Amino acid sequence: MHCSRVGVVGAGTMGQGIAEMLAWQGLDVVLIERSAEKLEQAFEHIEASLDKQMEKWAITASEKKLILSRIHKETDMNRLAVCELVIESINEDLELKKQLFMQLDAICPPHVILASNTSTLSLTEIAAVTERPERVIGLHFLYPVSKIHLVEIVRGLKTSEETFAFTKRFAEDTIQKRGIQVYESPGFVTTRLICVLINEAMHTLSERVASAEDIDTAMRIGYSFHYGPLEMADRFGLDSVLAAMERMFREFGDVKYRPAVLLKQMVRAGQLGTKTGHGFFRYDRDGDRV
């Protein structure tokens, strides 16, 4: 099956990144959000991201215009009926995702593959609310989507070989990312491993072993991380990290997944990272470190 038009539901940070990346690769994108206001905000962020790439001579003004022209902003879910693949990227809330997949199942023709960008939730449970569980799969992109050339392709219990093969080809041939096959497990591979590192970095900071700046510098320079673990948490959203940690702690029952007290305190204080401008570090409106 050829794929030239992809739906993206949810225009938050990850949805914006996915839409921009798909349009960059020459695909038409139907970007869905609940309100026109949120869509406009998302589009402004995508445009700002492209402007930064223009400043670095990575793209030209005409290329920017072409990329933006491929992103079609919609609030009507029925517009997704023309897509060959739909990627869900809403909040990590199982009930919300299940409701959305029921809607997508009713709107999209039977051949359409429904994918979720979830980082911790059960694909099997999400797929169970549809009439096509064999055509439901996980496509877990990492932040920042345009720079990380990896995607976890997550199989639910009933995901078919045909669906997996198509999604693998899409990931590697169409959008030029390395796709790794992951069988369903809380946190999959990347979230499961990185959250433990982030949590340990917070314990290290709480114990005053080193400053936040020095902890991140140690991992960036010492282990070639793009971001240190604390800035990474800021960019994921501290509330999202807390939700992932709590979910894995419930599922595995292992104390290594128990969220650090500091993480809970910062979320309660509303210091969520780049989305609020203040986490372990401070950020401007464009998400750049101040």
Side-chain angles (χ1 to χ4, degrees):
M1 183 174 71
H2 177 65
C3 187
S4 60
R5 189 179 287 109
V6 180
V8 177
V9 184
T13 302
M14 288 302 293
Q16 293 162 25
I18 294 167
E20 179 187 331
M21 176 272 299
L22 294 171
W24 178 289
Q25 295 293 346
L27 297 164
D28 280 317
V29 181
V30 179
L31 181 60
I32 299 283
E33 193 39 277
R34 284 176 295 183
S35 70
E37 182 184 4
K38 287 188 175 182
L39 271 175
E40 286 305 320
Q41 289 174 353
F43 206 70
E44 286 172 11
H45 283 119
I46 293 170
E47 194 166 3
S49 170
L50 294 172
D51 285 339
K52 287 181 185 178
Q53 292 171 63
M54 281 177 60
E55 290 170 8
K56 297 174 183 175
W57 301 89
I59 60 171
T60 64
S62 59
E63 285 173 324
K64 171 194 166 184
K65 187 176 179 181
L66 184 60
I67 290 166
L68 291 175
S69 73
R70 294 188 183 121
I71 302 174
H72 310 284
K73 299 171 287 182
E74 299 286 353
T75 55
D76 182 2
M77 292 270 289
N78 290 301
R79 300 291 186 185
L80 295 168
V82 298
C83 299
E84 293 91 17
L85 168 69
V86 176
I87 303 171
E88 166 275 314
S89 186
I90 64 172
N91 292 341
E92 283 287 274
D93 182 305
L94 182 60
E95 290 307 313
L96 283 179
K97 287 186 190 285
K98 285 163 70 173
Q99 289 172 23
L100 175 60
F101 271 74
M102 288 175 68
Q103 285 182 275
L104 294 175
D105 193 41
I107 290 167
C108 299
H111 69 275
V112 175
I113 290 174
L114 305 180
S116 175
N117 183 52
T118 182
S119 58
T120 56
L121 298 175
S122 166
L123 263 299
T124 300
E125 197 167 348
I126 292 169
V129 302
T130 74
E131 297 295 324
R132 65 183 96 190
E134 74 285 351
R135 300 191 76 76
V136 175
I137 198 163
L139 269 175
H140 178 222
F141 295 93
L142 277 64
Y143 179 89
V145 180
S146 60
K147 292 180 181 177
I148 306 297
H149 300 295
L150 177 88
V151 60
E152 289 182 301
I153 305 172
V154 188
R155 302 182 67 143
L157 183 63
K158 294 188 176 180
T159 303
S160 69
E161 283 296 333
E162 180 188 8
T163 297
F164 173 75
F166 169 84
T167 309
K168 176 93 166 170
R169 285 196 305 273
F170 173 78
E172 300 196 336
D173 298 340
T174 306
I175 61 174
Q176 309 297 307
K177 292 192 184 293
R178 176 68 182 271
I180 62 166
Q181 178 175 223
V182 179
Y183 290 91
E184 184 175 302
S185 177
F188 313 135
V189 174
T190 55
T191 303
R192 180 172 175 174
L193 298 185
I194 204 64
C195 278
V196 175
L197 174 65
I198 287 170
N199 208 43
E200 195 59 34
M202 292 178 193
H203 285 306
T204 305
L205 179 63
S206 297
E207 294 163 15
R208 300 185 180 180
V209 175
S211 68
E213 186 68 49
D214 285 346
I215 290 168
D216 272 18
T217 298
M219 299 309 292
R220 277 192 302 103
I221 297 176
Y223 289 91
S224 300
F225 277 42
H226 185 72
Y227 297 117
L230 298 176
E231 183 172 350
M232 205 180 296
D234 280 350
R235 294 187 179 280
F236 290 158
L238 298 188
D239 52 339
S240 298
V241 174
L242 177 59
M245 293 295 302
E246 288 179 332
R247 193 168 290 115
M248 288 190 289
F249 184 41
R250 284 197 304 272
E251 291 282 344
F252 291 114
D254 192 321
V255 293
K256 70 183 176 187
Y257 299 111
R258 185 168 61 198
V261 173
L262 177 59
L263 175 59
K264 292 182 177 181
Q265 289 173 332
M266 292 183 71
V267 171
R268 288 170 186 152
Q271 294 179 210
L272 307 181
T274 54
K275 65 175 76 175
T276 59
H278 188 194
F280 290 101
F281 306 99
R282 290 188 177 274
Y283 305 86
D284 62 22
R285 283 189 60 191
D286 295 328
D288 293 324
R289 283 272 298 271
V290 174

